[in-house]
Amino acid sequence: MSMVLVTGGAGFIGANFVHYLRRQRPEWQILNLDLLTYAGNPENLAELEGDPGHILVPGDIADRELVTSLFQRYPITRVVHFAAETHVDRSIMDPGVFVRTNVLGTFTLLEAARQAWQGLKGEEPRFLHISTDEVYGSLGPDDPAFTEATPYSPNSPYAASKAGADLLVRSYYRTYGFPALITNCSNNYGPYQFPEKLIPFALSQALAGKPVPIYGTGANIRDWIFVEDHCRGALLVLEKGRPGETYNLGGQQEKPNLELVRLLLQLLREMRPELGQPEELITFVTDRPGHDWRYALNTAKIEGELDWRPQVDLEEGLRRTLSWYLAHQDWLERVRSGAYRDYLRRQYGAAVV
Ligand code: NAD
Ligand code: TYD
């Protein structure tokens, strides 16, 4: 029996990956270690209740004793490491927890896996560290896309903490021959994304008839990937990637923020005409400090080596995302309550809440 440790599997991409893995590799057992922070929601895994192929362990990746005991207790031969603090704006407000979880947490996992896997025979162990394009820094309008060889140049505490984690992972391969792989992915969107990130935030504000804040002029560019394309790429790299290597995973769909939000709200209007003109809710607000101008990824390596390319185009992905949120408004209502409102008030001021 194969056991895979998925960290952060109650969060957005992690939960999508857990569901994807149950469908694609039903014979694998999943041990899901998640601290269930504000971003981790056991409701995202409700369909797996009673499924013997999935065990949720609430706990901290930086808890050395817990992590070591999981490696002692379970026959873990693969790790897919999603757990992290992930929101740039929160990293600007409170960077300490980003360093703790993203750097120290990753180090704790690496150490526990390295010790557990020493002398392991039989099935080849593998550790896939999930990272972001933000570690490469920011591009100008005409710069070529980031490749795996682009030097790291992170600009936010979030990006810097992910960069620190990536470098530790890299060093474990170089120093110990530890079987690590890294993926750097662009902006994901899709079901289960916490509504602090641009797409689900804009959508949930529009559904509530509230302002949709755009930072600066809305000209900053992101590359968008539908989360299912990311999950497929992550499993491929886990199984077929070369240890010690980094793979960029991008959606090949760059859009300025304002255009993206307009498209989203236009699709929403088509699906829910009774909402009137949601585009009129767009409001320009003070820019994010150190706001990266543009991200774009060159994905020639993973296309050439592993024959991966994104399959869901932006409009189809946005329609699928909208359909999911419209069918799960109770989920949205529940996550929009409590501490989330305090966060919005701190980030945007009372007018937006
Ligand atoms: P998320 O914020 O939705 O979920 C993070 C999960 O990690 C939550 O379930 C949370 O409870 C858990 N977690 C946080 N701290 C923990 C700790 N100390 N111990 C155990 N669990 C903890 O994040 P996401 O958007 O799903 O991102 C997942 C991973 O993918 C992250 O590593 C992120 O850097 C990376 N990534 C995200 C994107 C994106 O667009 N969302 C793009 C590229 C890479
Ligand atoms: P976000 O979803 O926070 O992802 P990231 O900063 O990791 O790329 O933001 C995506 C883009 O949208 C980014 O350029 C910042 C911008 N943005 C807004 O204009 N308004 C908002 O309310 C948010 C959350 C983001």
Side-chain angles (χ1 to χ4, degrees):
M1 158 110 50
S2 271
M3 185 164 242
V4 55
L5 172 65
V6 176
T7 70
F12 160 49
I13 308 172
N16 277 283
F17 185 75
V18 165
H19 291 300
Y20 181 77
L21 209 53
R22 288 307 293 140
R23 292 194 298 273
Q24 299 294 323
R25 299 287 178 272
E27 68 284 10
W28 290 13
Q29 265 234 312
I30 302 172
L31 189 64
N32 183 351
L33 174 61
D34 195 300
L35 186 56
L36 303 179
T37 67
Y38 78 91
N41 186 350
E43 242 190 274
N44 300 351
L45 304 161
E47 283 164 44
L48 299 177
E49 239 176 63
D51 179 343
H54 173 258
I55 304 169
L56 178 63
V57 179
D60 188 347
I61 55 164
D63 179 342
R64 179 94 188 240
E65 222 171 284
L66 170 69
V67 174
T68 306
S69 74
L70 292 178
F71 276 93
Q72 282 166 352
R73 186 160 162 212
Y74 296 103
I76 298 164
T77 51
R78 297 180 180 91
V79 175
V80 186
H81 174 32
F82 293 97
E85 287 291 335
T86 62
H87 191 39
V88 172
D89 294 324
R90 288 187 192 251
S91 82
I92 295 168
M93 273 181 202
D94 184 13
V97 67
F98 284 71
V99 175
R100 187 182 176 281
T101 287
N102 299 359
V103 183
L104 196 61
T106 300
F107 167 69
T108 307
L109 279 172
L110 286 168
E111 270 301 273
R114 182 170 79 86
Q115 278 167 20
W117 290 346
Q118 262 166 18
L120 190 77
K121 299 222 168 54
E123 197 169 359
E124 215 176 82
R126 273 163 179 258
F127 187 108
L128 173 59
H129 173 66
I130 303 289
S131 191
T132 166
D133 57 2
E134 307 197 20
V135 297
Y136 297 121
S138 179
L139 294 168
D142 301 319
D143 288 339
F146 301 124
T147 72
E148 290 81 357
T150 302
Y152 277 21
S153 186
N155 293 316
S156 70
Y158 163 63
S161 65
K162 291 296 291 186
D166 293 11
L167 296 179
L168 267 174
V169 174
R170 176 193 150 90
S171 79
Y172 269 56
Y173 173 75
R174 296 269 162 177
T175 305
Y176 305 112
F178 181 81
L181 303 110
I182 300 176
T183 51
N184 293 90
C185 189
S186 59
N187 283 59
N188 285 229
Y189 67 100
Y192 302 111
Q193 188 168 29
F194 191 81
E196 63 186 352
K197 305 279 166 55
L198 180 62
I199 288 178
F201 181 51
L203 171 59
S204 65
Q205 288 290 101
L207 285 174
K210 293 188 169 156
V212 174
I214 298 287
Y215 296 156
T217 61
N220 300 63
I221 294 169
R222 295 292 181 267
D223 170 48
W224 295 95
I225 181 170
F226 189 61
V227 65
E228 210 173 276
D229 278 329
H230 183 183
C231 292
R232 190 167 43 81
L235 180 57
L236 199 59
V237 172
L238 178 70
E239 294 190 309
K240 306 248 169 71
R242 286 181 292 136
E245 293 294 318
T246 285
Y247 297 88
N248 283 347
L249 276 164
Q252 306 296 2
Q253 302 181 84
E254 287 185 53
K255 273 252 179 273
N257 293 336
L258 182 58
E259 252 184 61
L260 175 82
V261 170
R262 284 205 172 121
L263 174 61
L264 175 79
L265 298 182
Q266 194 188 313
L267 295 173
L268 176 63
R269 180 154 52 90
E270 278 173 29
M271 289 165 95
R272 285 291 155 95
E274 69 276 17
L275 288 172
Q277 303 285 337
E279 293 100 313
E280 288 173 2
L281 297 168
I282 291 175
T283 311
F284 294 93
V285 300
T286 309
D287 209 352
R288 171 189 281 174
H291 193 175
D292 283 337
W293 181 253
R294 171 179 163 236
Y295 304 137
L297 284 173
N298 178 320
T299 54
K301 181 171 172 181
I302 191 165
E303 285 174 24
E305 271 189 33
L306 301 177
D307 199 25
W308 176 93
R309 45 191 58 72
Q311 289 175 349
V312 181
D313 76 26
L314 187 61
E315 196 169 316
E316 183 198 337
L318 287 176
R319 283 185 199 280
R320 284 170 66 177
T321 304
L322 277 165
S323 300
W324 186 88
Y325 280 91
L326 291 174
H328 293 84
Q329 288 194 56
D330 50 341
W331 180 95
L332 205 48
E333 279 314 306
R334 281 194 287 276
V335 300
R336 273 179 71 94
S337 63
Y340 175 74
R341 287 186 181 281
D342 301 335
Y343 163 74
L344 288 189
R345 222 168 273 122
R346 263 184 90 188
Q347 176 64 19
Y348 300 95
V352 165
V353 188

